Amino acid sequence: MLDRAAWIKAAIDLLADGNLDGLRVEVLAKRLGVTKGSFYWHFKDRRDLLDAVLDDWKEGRIRDIRKQTAADPGEELGAIRHTIAIYSAARNRRGIAIERAFRVWARQDPRAAAVVEEVDAVRLDCARRLFLARGLPAGEAAARSILLYAYVFGVALMHCDGFDADLNAARNRITELIAE
Amino acid sequence: MLDRAAWIKAAIDLLADGNLDGLRVEVLAKRLGVTKGSFYWHFKDRRDLLDAVLDDWKEGRIRDIRKQTAADPGEELGAIRHTIAIYSAARNRRGIAIERAFRVWARQDPRAAAVVEEVDAVRLDCARRLFLARGLPAGEAAARSILLYAYVFGVALMHCDGFDADLNAARNRITELIAE
DNA sequence: CAGCATCCATACCGTACCGTATGGTTTCTG
DNA sequence: CAGAAACCATACGGTACGGTATGGATGCTG
């Protein structure tokens, strides 16, 4: 007895294990222990699922972002550090994999691109607020917001495990470079 | 009359238009105006092509990186700025698309991961040299190298077109934040 | 209890692709 | 010129998947 929410949840899970091309109806059904006869009861077609996944992700992301960047006055620096730490590759590997999958998806699907753009707009705006509260001028706050998120998404695409002896120290230095 | 090099070149081109899953033997053959009968003359199978593509990309990347980061003494700051500018999303969209495709590929294929790791090691090492020449301590130089490449790869995954009024100004500010 | 809605399984068709087998054509070579 | 090698087309079998059609099982409802 599945509903759309269960399919969407499993779809995002499958997405995290690969990319959009790995998100197949029959593979998903097998994971859920049913056949695709069930799928086509809940969804018109594959595109219907993809759109639902995009909506689900968008809402969840925007809610989380607003929660994570809500800082009491004077606590903005901690909130910035926390935002960077959340995407630290060490833990939260799952969350990063999902982010990457959606962003790669956005490169080959206009609807996904629109959703990612909306999410990024919220993200950047929330980050900018934190930098502005710290007294940075508008242009500087905007630049640092872009740098912050470009960095966290960029490290998710790199393989720098064997580069520095102390990667944690490097991470802390980078955090301070961005957060000031 | 094609040779392996022509197939590899076309394969990277096709890779840039999508991702690894879009790199199909028959699609590639159609692009080159031949049938897959030709492909299986030059390559054992699809994996053979993928390995050849990885080798080709690795060599080309490492050569380019060494060329781009070769700076005369005293010109290191300019070389750092230039390195960032090369991956500026405005021009060079093709190069960025290729980079992204290889990095996403590396997430689902150990051989690709090994190649990307090699390329990143060279990249980070070359960048670190530039920062060291500017007098930064070792840890700081390493951190900035990681930040530099994470940033340029990260912006390739973001959609921040409508965020700041003057994106170019933001880019310049970010460049200075990284390069000092 | 009859009938309808919900939820899923089975069976089927069509398509896109990988890899092989085989034959044809051109060019090089002894 | 005979034969071999290089290069490619055609034809085939196998697999994975999207989507549809249909029927079965369960539960709700008048």
Side-chain angles (χ1 to χ4, degrees):
Chain A
M1 297 300 171
L2 302 170
D3 56 356
R4 284 176 69 99
W7 282 96
I8 293 169
K9 185 174 179 301
I12 293 179
D13 220 60
L14 186 54
L15 206 55
D17 291 342
N19 48 27
L20 180 63
D21 304 271
L23 181 46
R24 307 275 111 185
V25 172
E26 284 177 305
V27 176
L28 198 56
K30 185 164 285 181
R31 274 210 184 190
L32 288 169
V34 294
T35 66
K36 61 183 174 180
S38 170
F39 176 84
Y40 286 100
W41 169 257
H42 294 286
F43 297 89
K44 179 181 174 295
D45 53 16
R46 183 169 176 265
R47 183 71 239 184
D48 187 21
L49 170 68
L50 298 188
D51 289 336
V53 165
L54 286 175
D55 288 341
D56 184 88
W57 181 74
K58 185 176 86 175
E59 283 189 31
R61 281 300 83 201
I62 290 178
R63 198 170 2 152
D64 283 11
I65 292 162
R66 295 209 189 279
K67 197 188 304 173
Q68 288 159 7
T69 55
D72 296 328
E75 298 289 335
E76 286 85 7
L77 181 57
I80 293 171
R81 289 203 184 103
H82 180 244
T83 302
I84 298 175
I86 284 174
Y87 294 94
S88 178
R91 61 192 172 188
N92 197 17
R93 294 173 65 89
R94 198 89 191 144
I96 293 176
I98 294 175
E99 277 284 343
R100 186 175 48 233
F102 273 91
R103 287 171 190 285
V104 172
W105 178 1
R107 286 286 149 183
Q108 62 188 69
D109 175 18
R111 302 190 206 186
V115 167
V116 170
E117 195 162 357
E118 276 189 74
V119 171
D120 280 356
V122 174
R123 260 199 240 267
L124 291 170
D125 190 58
C126 287
R128 179 166 51 185
R129 260 188 246 280
L130 294 174
F131 284 113
L132 288 174
R134 296 216 68 228
L136 290 179
E140 183 77 12
R144 282 177 188 261
S145 302
I146 295 173
L147 177 60
L148 190 158
Y149 281 109
Y151 163 70
V152 296
F153 297 143
V155 287
L157 278 185
M158 291 188 66
H159 295 254
C160 48
D161 288 355
F163 176 58
D164 197 50
D166 193 350
L167 261 181
N168 267 335
R171 265 190 240 283
N172 291 334
R173 276 202 186 82
I174 292 169
T175 299
E176 294 313 309
L177 279 172
I178 297 172
E180 171 86 314
Chain B
M1 296 300 173
L2 301 169
D3 56 354
R4 283 176 69 100
W7 282 96
I8 293 169
K9 185 174 179 299
I12 293 179
D13 220 61
L14 186 56
L15 206 56
D17 291 342
N19 50 27
L20 180 63
D21 304 271
L23 182 45
R24 308 273 109 186
V25 172
E26 285 177 301
V27 175
L28 198 56
K30 184 163 287 181
R31 273 209 184 190
L32 289 170
V34 295
T35 66
K36 62 184 175 179
S38 170
F39 176 84
Y40 286 100
W41 169 258
H42 294 286
F43 297 89
K44 180 181 173 295
D45 53 16
R46 182 169 177 266
R47 183 72 240 184
D48 187 20
L49 170 68
L50 297 187
D51 288 336
V53 165
L54 285 175
D55 289 340
D56 183 89
W57 181 74
K58 184 176 88 175
E59 284 189 31
R61 282 299 82 200
I62 291 177
R63 197 171 0 149
D64 283 10
I65 292 162
R66 295 209 189 280
K67 197 188 306 171
Q68 288 159 9
T69 56
D72 296 330
E75 300 287 336
E76 287 86 7
L77 181 56
I80 293 171
R81 290 204 184 103
H82 181 245
T83 302
I84 298 175
I86 283 174
Y87 294 95
S88 178
R91 59 194 176 192
N92 196 18
R93 293 172 66 89
R94 196 91 191 142
I96 293 176
I98 294 174
E99 277 284 343
R100 187 176 46 232
F102 274 91
R103 287 171 190 284
V104 172
W105 179 2
R107 288 284 151 184
Q108 63 187 67
D109 175 18
R111 301 191 206 184
V115 167
V116 169
E117 195 161 356
E118 276 189 74
V119 171
D120 281 356
V122 174
R123 260 198 239 267
L124 291 170
D125 190 58
C126 288
R128 179 166 52 185
R129 261 189 245 280
L130 293 174
F131 284 113
L132 288 173
R134 298 217 68 227
L136 290 179
E140 184 77 10
R144 282 177 189 261
S145 303
I146 295 173
L147 177 60
L148 191 159
Y149 281 109
Y151 163 70
V152 296
F153 296 143
V155 287
L157 278 186
M158 291 188 67
H159 294 255
C160 47
D161 287 355
F163 175 58
D164 197 47
D166 193 350
L167 261 181
N168 267 335
R171 264 191 242 283
N172 291 335
R173 276 202 185 82
I174 292 169
T175 300
E176 294 313 308
L177 279 171
I178 298 172
E180 170 85 323

